[in-house]
Amino acid sequence: MGELVVGIDVGTTKVCTIVGEVRDSDVYVLGLGIEPSQGMRKGMVTDLNALRASIVASAHKAEKTSGYEIGRAFVSLAGGHIESINSRGAVGIPNQRGVQLDDLERAMDAARAVNLPHGREVLHVIPRNYSLDGQAGLRSPLGMLGFRLEVEAHIITASVQGVKNLEKCVEDAGVLVDRFILNPLAAGDIVLTPEEREAGVMIVDIGGGTTDLAIFVDGSVWHTAVLGVGGQHITNDIAYGLRLPTELAESVKLTHGHADPKAVSSLEAFPIQPFGEELPTKVQRADLVHIVHMRVAEMFEMILKEAKRSGYDGLLKAGIVLTGGSSLLPGIKAVAADVLRMPVRLGQPERVTGMSEALKNPAYSTSVGLLKLGLIMDEEDARREGLRKHSNSRGSGWMRGFLRGVAERLLPREETGE
Ligand SMILES: Nc1ncnc2c1ncn2[C@@H]1O[C@H](COP(=O)(O)OP(=O)(O)OP(=O)(O)O)[C@@H](O)[C@H]1O
Ligand SMILES: [Mg+2]
């Protein structure tokens, strides 16, 4: 039996609560509650009461199906207020005694001590690699001799208000937030293979209101970003372009939508009922596809720009993995490959069992990933807490939000059990 964990993925279009166990690498689902989400735009809370009600409905459903009461949960976080920076921290190693775990911790402390603008807080701190006396690119310098240890870390920050508003919604719904986890880290953990993360890959979760991405190189997180654009923007463009109410535009997208003009015949047409018309009219499917294509191509241009901005676009040997509900749009893979000029595959949670049929869908990558990554982060914190107590050094203020990569980096491989 694994440990019982709960994840609540608060998306722009749906709230998904999962009660499950992590058994080895699989997530075994005991209870599930998927409800439409209200009160969120582009990943930001816009209506506390509406969002709380959506979370309550989703959590209740998961409680009912699992038979467990939900007290606390790992909660997804995205939104335009997320930013990431890279930072370095250096420490001296005394007496030629070899690098110890505590030195890695001290170096991370130093990297974390960046000056944040007012109103921002640190969400995750992820070590990428170490250097010792100038020898760069070390994964784990433990035991190595040297005088000066330096760590390169990726720091993800969020607006304090953005986090507080979501925390309030979840806590008003009667659930304590165990920790917030950035969407693409959760999705990456469940969808990407270790080989992809080693080779260099970008995970892109295209949801309703946001597109969340993370770049993994050499097995660790190198860059993250949240773009305030998603499937709802495609729907809005269809509504505007074809003069349709939003719900109808959404259903037209789901029934006839396609992102690749080359794949659709110019002869295809379908009937719709636009605003101000008494009788249904016929729409050339190519016109719809043109609208969808323009937006999707623009989204991938933004993604490409972000990859270039990170400086790692040339390192993505395994290319890009698309997930999130909008990755179900037919033709999206071809447009991604056209714009990005790299290998593209679609990803969804595979290693999920139990009450899991609905979850084997790209819309639930982040939802399922929360359980696994949340637990890994907890284990890391516990390990680090033990280390702190043992060395009886500083407090534990910086420990929130550590990642699997840390396990591989801070501990020798034997100890991680891998
Ligand atoms: N078959 C499909 N074709 C095109 N779009 C689809 C399809 N199925 C779902 N979508 C789109 O996926 C989006 C929802 O995806 P998802 O459930 O991942 O979003 P979310 O997690 O609620 O939002 P976010 O992560 O942005 O806050 C909607 O915009 C929906 O229209
Ligand atoms: Mg989502």
Side-chain angles (χ1 to χ4, degrees):
M1 280 278 280
E3 199 177 324
L4 206 65
V5 272
V6 182
I8 306 183
D9 179 8
V10 188
T12 315
T13 61
K14 51 102 191 353
V15 179
C16 174
T17 306
I18 302 176
V19 178
E21 274 170 25
V22 179
R23 300 176 176 175
D24 299 322
S25 284
D26 289 3
V27 175
Y28 181 82
V29 179
L30 295 158
L32 177 62
I34 300 170
E35 288 287 314
S37 172
Q38 242 113 56
M40 216 179 201
R41 260 196 88 232
K42 297 188 177 187
M44 303 281 281
V45 182
T46 52
D47 182 337
L48 285 169
N49 286 332
L51 187 59
R52 178 181 39 87
S54 307
I55 296 170
V56 166
S58 162
H60 275 176
K61 221 181 209 173
E63 286 184 328
K64 250 169 115 180
T65 47
S66 67
Y68 287 98
E69 202 181 319
I70 298 174
R72 46 205 307 145
F74 301 128
V75 179
S76 68
L77 190 77
H81 62 103
I82 302 291
E83 285 170 13
S84 66
I85 48 171
N86 295 321
S87 168
R88 284 169 177 274
V91 291
I93 312 292
N95 312 330
Q96 281 285 344
R97 61 156 162 68
V99 176
Q100 298 179 355
L101 270 174
D102 186 56
D103 301 321
L104 306 190
E105 299 281 321
R106 288 190 300 120
M108 285 296 288
D109 275 349
R112 192 183 202 273
V114 286
N115 271 332
L116 287 183
H118 181 68
R120 298 204 64 80
E121 66 179 62
V122 171
L123 188 63
H124 300 292
V125 184
I126 307 157
R128 302 197 308 196
N129 61 50
Y130 299 91
S131 57
L132 192 58
D133 291 350
Q135 186 189 349
L138 300 174
R139 286 217 178 179
S140 173
L142 279 180
M144 290 173 73
L145 298 178
F147 294 105
R148 188 172 189 272
L149 174 74
E150 198 172 317
V151 65
E152 218 185 293
H154 184 64
I155 300 181
I156 299 166
T157 69
S159 114
V160 173
Q161 281 318 107
V163 175
K164 280 227 167 82
N165 282 332
L166 183 56
E167 186 166 25
K168 182 163 170 38
C169 280
V170 177
E171 302 204 341
D172 286 354
V175 180
L176 279 175
V177 179
D178 230 332
R179 68 168 74 237
F180 283 110
I181 299 176
L182 187 72
N183 281 9
L185 299 182
D189 197 81
I190 204 80
V191 169
L192 299 175
T193 65
E195 293 76 23
E196 283 172 328
R197 272 179 285 202
E198 267 318 301
V201 70
M202 174 160 61
I203 176 98
V204 179
D205 176 345
I206 312 178
T210 65
T211 292
D212 317 314
L213 55 94
I215 291 177
F216 294 76
V217 180
D218 289 343
S220 186
V221 179
W222 283 54
H223 183 74
T224 50
V226 176
L227 309 175
V229 56
Q232 285 174 350
H233 296 76
I234 305 174
T235 302
N236 291 344
D237 288 354
I238 297 170
Y240 182 79
L242 302 181
R243 290 187 293 119
L244 302 175
T246 310
E247 284 98 84
L248 185 53
E250 174 75 14
S251 99
V252 163
K253 177 177 85 173
L254 299 183
T255 323
H256 305 285
H258 205 294
D260 183 8
K262 292 192 278 291
V264 173
S265 142
S266 59
L267 301 174
E268 289 179 60
F270 58 90
I272 53 161
Q273 180 84 52
F275 279 129
E277 302 280 341
E278 267 152 38
L279 294 171
T281 61
K282 269 205 161 160
V283 171
Q284 301 299 315
R285 191 168 177 219
D287 293 343
L288 169 71
V289 176
H290 176 71
I291 296 171
V292 175
H293 174 79
M294 295 295 282
R295 174 62 82 166
V296 171
E298 188 192 27
M299 283 160 65
F300 285 114
E301 296 285 354
M302 288 167 73
I303 291 165
L304 180 63
K305 214 162 135 192
E306 196 55 45
K308 288 203 152 104
R309 200 173 72 85
S310 78
Y312 305 115
D313 54 314
L315 298 178
L316 306 177
K317 286 197 209 79
I320 172 172
V321 177
L322 299 180
T323 194
S326 296
S327 71
L328 288 165
L329 179 72
I332 195 163
K333 204 175 135 181
V335 181
D338 252 14
V339 175
L340 297 166
R341 307 244 159 245
M342 50 176 94
V344 183
R345 79 166 175 96
L346 304 179
Q348 63 178 39
E350 300 293 350
R351 304 200 63 172
V352 49
T353 54
M355 198 199 244
S356 64
E357 271 326 296
L359 296 173
K360 284 190 179 154
N361 177 310
Y364 301 107
S365 299
T366 293
S367 323
V368 177
L370 280 178
L371 277 74
K372 219 177 126 203
L373 188 55
L375 210 56
I376 290 166
M377 287 176 168
D378 270 6
E379 282 165 9
E380 269 318 297
D381 277 2
R383 217 184 320 236
R384 198 158 289 111
E385 197 74 61
L387 181 72
R388 295 270 179 197
K389 284 204 183 105
H390 184 67
S391 68
N392 203 17
S393 52
R394 297 156 305 278
S396 60
W398 66 278
M399 286 184 215
R400 253 190 131 209
F402 263 83
L403 285 182
R404 181 179 188 74
V406 180
E408 292 165 357
R409 264 136 221 258
L410 287 184
L411 297 171
R413 295 235 161 226
E414 313 81 84
E415 290 182 45
T416 65
E418 290 189 353

